[in-house]
Amino acid sequence: MSDYIPSANIERTRTGQRHFVSDIDETGLGAVDAVADDRAPSSLWGEAWKSLRKRPIFWVALIIIVIAIAIAAFPNVFTSQDPRFCELSNSLKGPSDGHPFGFNRQGCDIYARIVFGARASVSVGVLTTIFVVIIGGVIGATAGYFGGWFDALLSRITDIFFAIPLLLAAIVFMQMFKENRNIWMVILVLSLFGWTQIARITRGAVMSAKNEEFVTAARATGASKARILMSHIIPNSMAPIIVYATVALGTFIVSEASLSFMGIGLPSTVVSWGADISAAQASLRTNPMVLFYPALALAMTVLSFIMMGDAVRDALDPKARK
């Protein structure tokens, strides 16, 4: 016998919700006992976006990141000055028309060097993060999915690389190839030793996802291992990877600045925030603003990526959403 609900006891709203009305009171208005929503539940990313839109920290970080990327991609739009044109007669002069931040010790325009320095720092951070996610993601996903001796072998290799400090390894390798230093060398060195954490996170996420019911259903339909891994497991394991990659991007920017600060990162022909901070040490007592501006640009860029990572992590955390 099918369930029957009198039409008088159902009110359908424009939003698709059905209100089940109990008895009619003296005023003729029914009391709502329960609400059933006919709309499909939102996905993980849909719920995350709803949460992110309500967080001011997300919008602040997003605005700074967009500005930093725009400056790195189109520096000539933000300044017409040549960052490599220096006149000693302008040494340590204060702000003037067309030079809002003044000049450094060599007489170079500080604002122009900050604008063009964003390209090197942001490029190293973005490209290193992409390579690290690819290397660590492939190693972690294959280790977590196939398991057994293959997992044990890749995990031990990961542990060996994990035991090597990133900055120390970068210093050693950059010193070995100091005659061939360029932006691609820095990216290669940081990628070679920076993938371990991503591999561990990916491995754990894949091991958790491969035991879910939708993977069992895919196996029952005869899907191949490669298809299950690429179409079902990896898409459902991306949340922690994206969170860590966002924070790691800021870490790689700091690593590049640290190498350039020590004079073993990018060559002197490349404008870099780290190199400008290093050169500004000589003027710290007489004109501290020479160091302040590039340090502020570096700090704000790194902080924006860290804040973005925190906001995305909270939005994707089911416990936080509850």
Side-chain angles (χ1 to χ4, degrees), residues 282-306:
S283 310
L284 182 59
R285 292 186 178 181
T286 57
N287 194 343
M289 301 306 291
V290 176
L291 184 145
F292 173 77
Y293 290 122
L296 178 63
L298 175 63
M300 289 186 63
T301 304
V302 174
L303 180 62
S304 64
F305 283 106
I306 293 176

Side-chain angles (χ1 to χ4, degrees), residues 28-294:
L29 298 177
V32 177
D33 286 339
V35 178
D37 197 342
D38 289 342
R39 292 172 295 181
S42 300
S43 64
L44 171 66
W45 300 104
E47 291 293 332
W49 172 239
K50 290 180 182 179
S51 175
L52 284 174
R53 286 185 302 178
K54 302 175 184 178
R55 295 176 62 85
I57 188 175
F58 165 75
W59 292 109
V60 172
L62 181 63
I63 291 172
I64 298 175
I65 290 173
V66 170
I67 293 174
I69 293 176
I71 292 175
F74 310 103
N76 292 315
V77 174
F78 296 87
T79 181
S80 59
Q81 301 295 325
D82 185 356
R84 299 179 182 84
F85 178 75
C86 307
E87 289 185 357
L88 287 176
S89 59
N90 294 327
S91 178
L92 299 180
K93 283 187 177 180
S96 60
D97 187 23
H99 309 282
F101 295 163
F103 301 86
N104 62 13
R105 194 176 186 85
Q106 289 76 32
C108 307
D109 183 77
I110 296 176
Y111 174 74
R113 292 190 66 84
I114 290 175
V115 170
F116 279 86
R119 170 170 290 181
S121 298
V122 174
S123 298
V124 170
V126 172
L127 293 176
T128 303
T129 302
I130 292 174
F131 291 145
V132 159
V133 169
I134 293 174
I135 298 171
V138 170
I139 294 175
T142 53
Y145 183 67
F146 292 102
W149 66 269
F150 193 64
D151 178 25
L153 176 62
L154 292 180
S155 297
R156 297 298 75 77
I157 295 175
T158 302
D159 292 340
I160 292 173
F161 277 85
F162 191 80
I164 303 174
L166 173 63
L167 195 56
L168 178 60
I171 292 173
V172 172
F173 270 74
M174 294 304 295
Q175 286 283 36
M176 292 172 58
F177 303 98
K178 56 184 178 181
E179 284 113 11
N180 301 319
R181 284 187 292 133
N182 54 48
I183 189 170
W184 289 107
M185 179 63 68
V186 175
I187 294 172
L188 177 63
V189 170
L190 293 178
S191 302
L192 183 61
F193 294 95
W195 56 269
T196 54
Q197 191 65 32
I198 284 284
R200 285 188 166 189
I201 292 174
T202 306
R203 175 179 176 271
V206 168
M207 291 182 68
S208 176
K210 74 177 184 179
N211 295 320
E212 296 291 339
E213 294 181 355
F214 59 86
V215 175
T216 305
R219 290 197 188 100
T221 59
S224 63
K225 291 185 177 181
R227 181 177 177 81
I228 293 174
L229 180 62
M230 299 301 298
S231 301
H232 299 281
I233 295 180
I234 290 182
N236 286 279
S237 305
M238 289 301 297
I241 298 173
I242 292 175
V243 171
Y244 179 78
T246 306
V247 178
L249 200 155
T251 303
F252 293 132
I253 292 177
V254 172
S255 299
E256 180 277 321
S258 301
L259 293 174
S260 298
F261 177 83
M262 291 181 286
I264 57 175
L266 299 176
S268 58
T269 56
V270 179
V271 182
S272 170
W273 291 337
D276 286 355
I277 293 173
S278 177
Q281 292 181 99
S283 310
L284 182 59
R285 292 186 178 181
T286 57
N287 194 343
M289 301 306 291
V290 176
L291 184 145
F292 173 77
Y293 290 122

